[in-house]
């Protein structure tokens, strides 16, 4: 089976970067570098999605708390 780098056209700078990563992280092949990089990217995308969801929840809770706080201030001023 041919390596991905043989099937996919890669520019010289990209191939150089892949070779550097291969050496740095001691991958067995360029395919391994590509697979590993894709897995990391997918994991980061999922983490980013989760963080965005958490941020939306926090924003909603913050808005709700501000409304409650305004309500408490109005009640306190009436007293």
């Amino acid at each position: 089976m041919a390596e991905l780098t043989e099937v996919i056209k890669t520019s010289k700078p990209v191939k150089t970067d892949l070779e550097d990563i291969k050496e740095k992280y001691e991958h067995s092949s360029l395919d391994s570098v590509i697979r590993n990089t894709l897995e990391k990217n997918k994991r980061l995308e999922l983490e980013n999605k989760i963080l965005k969801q958490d941020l939306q929840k926090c924003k909603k809770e913050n808005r709700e708390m501000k409304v409650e706080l305004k309500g408490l201030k109005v009640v306190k001023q009436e007293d």
Side-chain angles (χ1 to χ4, degrees):
M1 189 167 158
E3 283 199 22
L4 289 172
T5 51
E6 294 172 4
V7 177
I8 301 170
K9 283 189 175 184
T10 55
S11 66
K12 180 84 170 152
V14 170
K15 201 159 199 159
T16 302
D17 288 345
L18 290 173
E19 289 287 349
D20 291 344
I21 293 169
K22 178 183 172 190
E23 289 176 23
K24 183 176 180 180
Y25 295 103
E26 300 177 357
H27 288 278
S28 58
S29 67
L30 295 181
D31 277 7
S32 175
V33 173
I34 293 169
R35 278 194 309 275
N36 188 274
T37 302
L38 291 171
E39 287 172 6
K40 284 181 182 178
N41 285 345
K42 188 63 176 177
R43 195 170 29 248
L44 288 171
E45 286 174 5
L46 291 173
E47 287 177 13
N48 188 33
K49 183 178 178 181
I50 290 169
L51 287 172
K52 283 181 179 180
Q53 289 172 346
D54 288 347
L55 179 61
Q56 292 302 319
K57 287 178 188 176
C58 289
K59 284 180 177 180
K60 182 181 176 189
E61 289 174 6
N62 190 6
R63 282 191 302 270
E64 291 169 355
M65 287 181 184
K66 284 181 180 179
V67 168
E68 286 181 34
L69 185 59
K70 282 182 183 179
L72 290 173
K73 285 182 180 179
V74 168
V75 170
K76 187 176 181 180
Q77 288 176 357
E78 290 175 357
D79 291 341

